[in-house]
Amino acid sequence: MSDARRHAEVLSGHAKVLSGAERATDTREFFSRTSAELRRLMPFDSAVWAATDPETGLITAPMLVENLGSGEGCAEYWESELLEENVLPFRDLARATVPAAGLRAATGDLPARSARFRRLLGSQGVDDELRAVLRVGYRPWAVVSLFRMRGGAPFGPAETTLLAGLSGPLASRLRRFARPSASAGGTDAPAPGLVLFDPSGEPTSINEEARQHLSQLPEGPSIPSQLGLRLPIWVVATALQAQAIARGRDRADRARVRIRTVGGRWLTCHASCLSGPAGRPGPVALVIEPAAAADRAVLIAEAYGLTPRELEITQLITRGLPTTEIAATLFISPHTVRDHVKTVFGKTEVSSRGELVARLFAEHYRPAVPKTAPVPQASGPRRRRPDVRAS
């Protein structure tokens, strides 16, 4: 096959995958459509697709597990990923020049060099794993693992190149689902919840607030516990990362992930390892609570594709600074500030600074209005809306 024909086939394959992703209405459907189209281009037997927090890279809701049972092996998979020395960890792929790689190719056809393969994949009949990070820049929005069982050919260079080439375009489409949801209304939310894990990782204590928060999370892989409930894999992975940080296996400064509830709200889940008597390892304390306004704003800004400079200007706008003060703070001209503001307005689909602040901060928790509530009518002559300006 000529290089020109091979290149044309790759472009055609990309277009089909992206077309399917474009029709998705939520993240889970996005994963399902993308996986189905991708399987037509390069066969695989099973797959795991997981959204990630773009700031920390930790897995978050939702997750799609295909042809791997009910996902009962997920806890062991992520425990190995976070706590053991492994080949091709996602945290390295997120920063790699090429954000996709095959296990057999990376180990010189000796997959047992990977603890993940020795501990889990090999015993499940997996012959090769092709994994990738879907990222915009170095911000990861999802991770994917494709598996071929024994008897299948290893993933080849062309298949790795195909998946790597889809990383950015898929991530750009995926991050749109982190934007504010029209259904996320109401201000009532439980206080911070607390879950304690013993040093072995077994959950031992939980308060009622944590139970309420956990009840609002989407369905997905989970583990049983002695607390009378199953803990979602995203919560378990946060506790595991806290252990990884304490053991020096993760360079992150904290274990933290944002998770979206079924109602469209954002929760923040963060964990840390406590110390026991004589410096012995103590329990892991995990707190789950409503995401702070500033935390939501940064995530939503990234979902709209704001650049670091645009985010800086947006944050100064939310503090009420006028154009001249923003320019002085950032050492740029007022004209440049206005250009950035207009671009921000276009990306976030607003027409004023007030609407921008509402979109990034207030809209997520605006009070819910009953559908039957009467809409008050203004009396007197209708005023003309003033012109909206970026300055």
Side-chain angles (χ1 to χ4, degrees):
M1 182 186 297
S2 67
D3 290 343
R5 183 177 177 183
R6 184 179 294 108
H7 181 65
E9 288 187 354
V10 169
L11 292 179
S12 176
H14 276 207
K16 291 178 180 177
V17 173
L18 296 177
S19 176
E22 197 70 45
R23 295 193 298 272
T25 57
D26 58 36
T27 303
R28 189 174 179 82
E29 183 185 355
F30 177 97
F31 288 156
S32 181
R33 286 181 175 273
T34 302
S35 192
E37 291 293 342
L38 195 58
R39 186 180 275 107
R40 295 187 179 96
L41 298 176
M42 54 176 188
F44 51 88
D45 298 299
S46 54
V48 175
W49 299 78
T52 56
D53 186 308
E55 182 180 353
T56 65
L58 268 182
I59 56 171
T60 186
M63 179 183 292
L64 176 66
V65 179
E66 296 182 315
N67 300 328
L68 287 171
S70 59
E72 57 272 9
C74 277
E76 290 83 1
Y77 184 87
W78 294 106
E79 183 177 1
S80 177
E81 175 76 17
L82 294 168
L83 298 181
E84 297 180 327
E85 290 294 336
N86 265 300
V87 176
L88 303 174
F90 283 121
R91 62 175 174 270
D92 288 352
L93 276 181
R95 305 291 300 181
T97 303
V98 179
L103 179 59
R104 283 193 171 272
T107 60
D109 208 29
L110 296 172
R113 289 172 53 191
S114 167
R116 184 173 63 255
F117 186 89
R118 294 193 307 271
R119 177 180 177 183
L120 191 64
L121 300 184
S123 62
Q124 292 185 338
V126 173
D127 191 67
D128 197 10
E129 176 187 11
L130 176 60
R131 50 171 40 193
V133 175
L134 307 186
R135 68 189 188 188
V136 177
Y138 291 111
R139 305 295 264 185
W141 287 91
V143 294
V144 55
S145 287
L146 309 178
F147 303 100
R148 282 181 178 163
M149 300 305 181
R150 291 195 181 99
F155 290 100
E159 293 166 323
T160 301
T161 299
L162 172 65
L163 187 56
L166 287 166
S167 171
L170 285 176
S172 295
R173 288 159 173 78
L174 179 60
R175 66 181 178 181
R176 296 175 306 174
F177 298 121
R179 296 176 181 179
S181 169
S183 62
T187 57
D188 295 334
L194 177 65
V195 185
L196 292 181
F197 298 77
D198 66 21
S200 69
E202 178 68 26
T204 57
S205 302
I206 187 171
N207 65 5
E208 183 59 32
E209 289 79 6
R211 290 181 184 273
Q212 292 182 51
H213 286 305
L214 292 174
S215 70
Q216 297 300 310
L217 297 185
E219 293 184 2
S222 60
I223 64 167
S225 73
Q226 298 178 3
L227 302 176
L229 79 166
R230 298 182 67 90
L231 289 178
I233 193 64
W234 318 294
V235 173
V236 175
T238 309
L240 288 172
Q241 192 187 36
Q243 292 181 312
I245 293 172
R247 298 177 188 180
R249 291 192 175 278
D250 196 309
R251 297 184 297 272
D253 58 351
R254 52 183 173 167
R256 176 175 167 276
V257 68
R258 289 161 291 193
I259 308 173
R260 201 164 199 175
T261 69
V262 293
R265 297 181 178 184
W266 285 100
L267 299 176
T268 297
C269 184
H270 47 98
S272 61
C273 289
L274 308 181
S275 58
R280 291 192 298 271
V284 175
L286 182 142
V287 176
I288 182 168
E289 59 187 340
D295 206 17
R296 297 194 311 272
V298 172
L299 180 62
I300 295 169
E302 291 193 6
Y304 282 106
L306 302 188
T307 66
R309 175 63 87 186
E310 290 164 356
L311 179 56
E312 277 186 307
I313 291 173
T314 299
Q315 290 172 323
L316 294 174
I317 288 175
T318 62
R319 289 167 50 186
L321 271 64
T323 296
T324 53
E325 290 189 34
I326 294 175
T329 301
L330 300 179
F331 301 101
I332 57 179
S333 71
H335 177 73
T336 300
V337 172
R338 293 189 187 95
D339 285 344
H340 281 305
V341 172
K342 289 178 180 177
T343 301
V344 170
F345 283 2
K347 288 182 177 181
T348 57
E349 301 174 349
V350 301
S351 56
S352 71
R353 293 186 176 209
E355 289 181 19
L356 177 64
V357 174
R359 177 142 297 181
L360 299 186
F361 284 92
E363 184 173 287
H364 183 66
Y365 277 107
R366 64 186 183 280
V369 180
K371 293 182 179 180
T372 56
V375 179
Q377 301 294 323
S379 59
R382 187 174 182 178
R383 294 184 178 181
R384 181 182 178 186
R385 185 178 180 181
D387 292 337
V388 177
R389 302 182 185 277
S391 58

